[in-house]
Amino acid sequence: MPPRLRCTASARGLTAAVKPSRPSAALLRPSTPAVTSAARQYATVSRGLSLPDDYVPPTKPPTARPGETRKAQLLRTYTSLLRTTPVVLLFQHNNLTAEEWIAVRRELKAALDAVPATGDASADIASKAKIQVVRTSIFDVAMKLVEFFDPSKVEPTSAPTASGKRVKVTYNHDLSKAAWKAVKSVTMGETKIPETSTYAQLSALMVGPVAAFTLPAVSPQHLAAALSILAPSPPQFPAPTRKKNPGYHEPITQSALQKLLLIGARIEDKAFDMEGVKWVGGIENGLDGLRAQLVHMLQSAGMGLTSTLEGAGKALWLTMESRRTVLEEEQNGGKTEEKKADA
């Protein structure tokens, strides 16, 4: 084995000189003094921007009560329902189970789908009709809002924008302070409630468990189909036969329907009792038939008025004509007598 060679100090220095050195981190770091300065300047400007202290976002107007709660959202839902739905039937229910509600909705959907379609609107009515449980206390407030709160009478207020400029803004939504004051005035008796108002007639029904059946349009055919399921009363609204609809006669369906009681309705912003609801549902041929009856009534009234006016004119003409004939006969008779006297 050959002997090892000892490295001298000069050899070590030569190795260090030949060995490639690693570049320092300072040399590899990019030199971007301009970018760093701009970023720092931008951060300084962003810190200088600030919104006014009384700034209100347009998507979140001020409310009298917290708008994120479930009660507030239910109130908005009920007011929208009352404003956009012309037919609302109110039922008192005796705590139906989930399975019973499923059975009722199934039979109700089958009955509405069986109504002969008279156009695209008929299909929309059947698909958008629904029955739901309502919270009577919140539904009562919603009826007060719809009937006694007029958003057009709310005065505009001054509010700042994000730039600090003040503009006129009107906060007249259902959760605004103006709406809350209107409801409070009705509740405290400051605003007199007419006895003939819809709220005065339906407020007494907002007691206990209540369910609402809604239709998006006034359709007597669909209303009659719904009544034949939810509140059958033969012979006008008979229940479906067992052969035609066996699901209607199932025990769970019958148990659910026995717990539903029709107590009133709100149709075209008017209060109706059971007899009024049956009258609307019993209109023959629906709204088209009602329009035909109205046209026939107006035509009959017009023909009667025309006959009366023509009769008066004819009578006057006959009277004047007979008088003229008499006068002519008298004149002719007088001339004949004069000629005889001259002869």
Side-chain angles (χ1 to χ4, degrees):
M1 181 176 181
R4 290 186 177 182
L5 297 177
R6 294 184 178 181
C7 295
T8 60
S10 59
R12 292 193 190 97
L14 182 62
T15 305
V18 175
K19 183 178 180 181
S21 61
R22 294 181 180 180
S24 63
L27 295 176
L28 292 178
R29 186 181 299 118
S31 177
T32 56
V35 176
T36 305
S37 175
R40 290 177 179 175
Q41 183 179 3
Y42 175 78
T44 305
V45 174
S46 64
R47 291 194 203 99
L49 290 176
S50 62
L51 296 174
D53 296 336
D54 55 347
Y55 173 72
V56 178
T59 57
K60 192 177 180 181
T63 59
R65 300 289 177 87
E68 298 82 6
T69 60
R70 184 172 182 270
K71 290 183 178 180
Q73 298 305 318
L74 276 178
L75 179 61
R76 295 179 61 190
T77 301
Y78 292 158
T79 52
S80 176
L81 182 143
L82 291 173
R83 290 191 180 105
T84 59
T85 306
V87 179
V88 180
L89 302 186
L90 300 175
F91 291 87
Q92 184 178 4
H93 69 91
N94 188 13
N95 299 326
L96 277 72
T97 62
E99 291 79 5
E100 290 174 341
W101 278 119
I102 292 174
V104 169
R105 291 188 174 98
R106 181 194 66 215
E107 299 304 323
L108 192 59
K109 183 179 184 302
L112 294 175
D113 291 340
V115 176
T118 57
D120 297 337
S122 180
D124 293 339
I125 292 174
S127 61
K128 295 180 180 179
K130 63 179 180 179
I131 184 171
Q132 59 181 329
V133 178
V134 298
R135 295 188 60 175
T136 53
S137 59
I138 303 178
F139 198 80
D140 183 84
V141 175
M143 288 195 300
K144 293 178 183 177
L145 271 176
V146 171
E147 190 162 357
F148 300 106
F149 174 59
D150 188 0
S152 61
K153 295 182 179 180
V154 179
E155 296 294 334
T157 58
S158 178
T161 60
S163 61
K165 183 181 179 181
R166 304 193 71 86
V167 295
K168 292 290 184 178
V169 182
T170 304
Y171 299 118
N172 55 0
H173 53 91
D174 293 335
L175 301 179
S176 62
K177 293 183 179 180
W180 177 76
K181 290 180 180 179
V183 173
K184 185 179 179 181
S185 64
V186 174
T187 306
M188 301 301 293
E190 299 175 3
T191 301
K192 186 178 180 180
I193 303 176
E195 296 182 356
T196 57
S197 63
T198 305
Y199 173 77
Q201 300 178 55
L202 295 180
S203 60
L205 305 179
M206 297 294 104
V207 178
V210 175
F213 170 73
T214 57
L215 285 175
V218 180
S219 175
Q221 297 97 326
H222 291 84
L223 183 58
L227 290 176
S228 64
I229 299 295
L230 301 174
S233 57
Q236 192 174 10
F237 306 104
T241 60
R242 187 182 298 271
K243 182 179 181 180
K244 183 179 180 180
N245 191 356
Y248 177 83
H249 297 273
E250 292 180 356
I252 188 171
T253 306
Q254 291 299 312
S255 174
L257 295 175
Q258 291 176 4
K259 298 178 182 179
L260 289 175
L261 177 63
L262 179 63
I263 55 178
R266 183 180 183 271
I267 302 176
E268 292 289 350
D269 300 333
K270 301 294 182 182
F272 285 78
D273 56 1
M274 293 180 61
E275 297 301 325
V277 174
K278 292 179 181 179
W279 175 80
V280 175
I283 297 176
E284 296 182 1
N285 299 324
L287 291 180
D288 294 337
L290 187 62
R291 294 189 187 99
Q293 294 178 12
L294 181 60
V295 171
H296 177 70
M297 186 184 303
L298 293 176
Q299 289 179 349
S300 300
M303 292 176 64
L305 180 62
T306 304
S307 301
T308 302
L309 295 176
E310 289 181 353
K314 288 180 180 179
L316 179 62
W317 181 81
L318 290 175
T319 302
M320 298 298 294
E321 188 68 18
S322 61
R323 182 60 179 169
R324 185 180 65 81
T325 305
V326 171
L327 292 175
E328 289 179 354
E329 290 178 355
E330 290 179 354
Q331 289 180 355
N332 294 334
K335 291 180 179 180
T336 304
E337 292 179 355
E338 289 179 358
K339 289 181 179 180
K340 289 181 178 179
D342 294 338

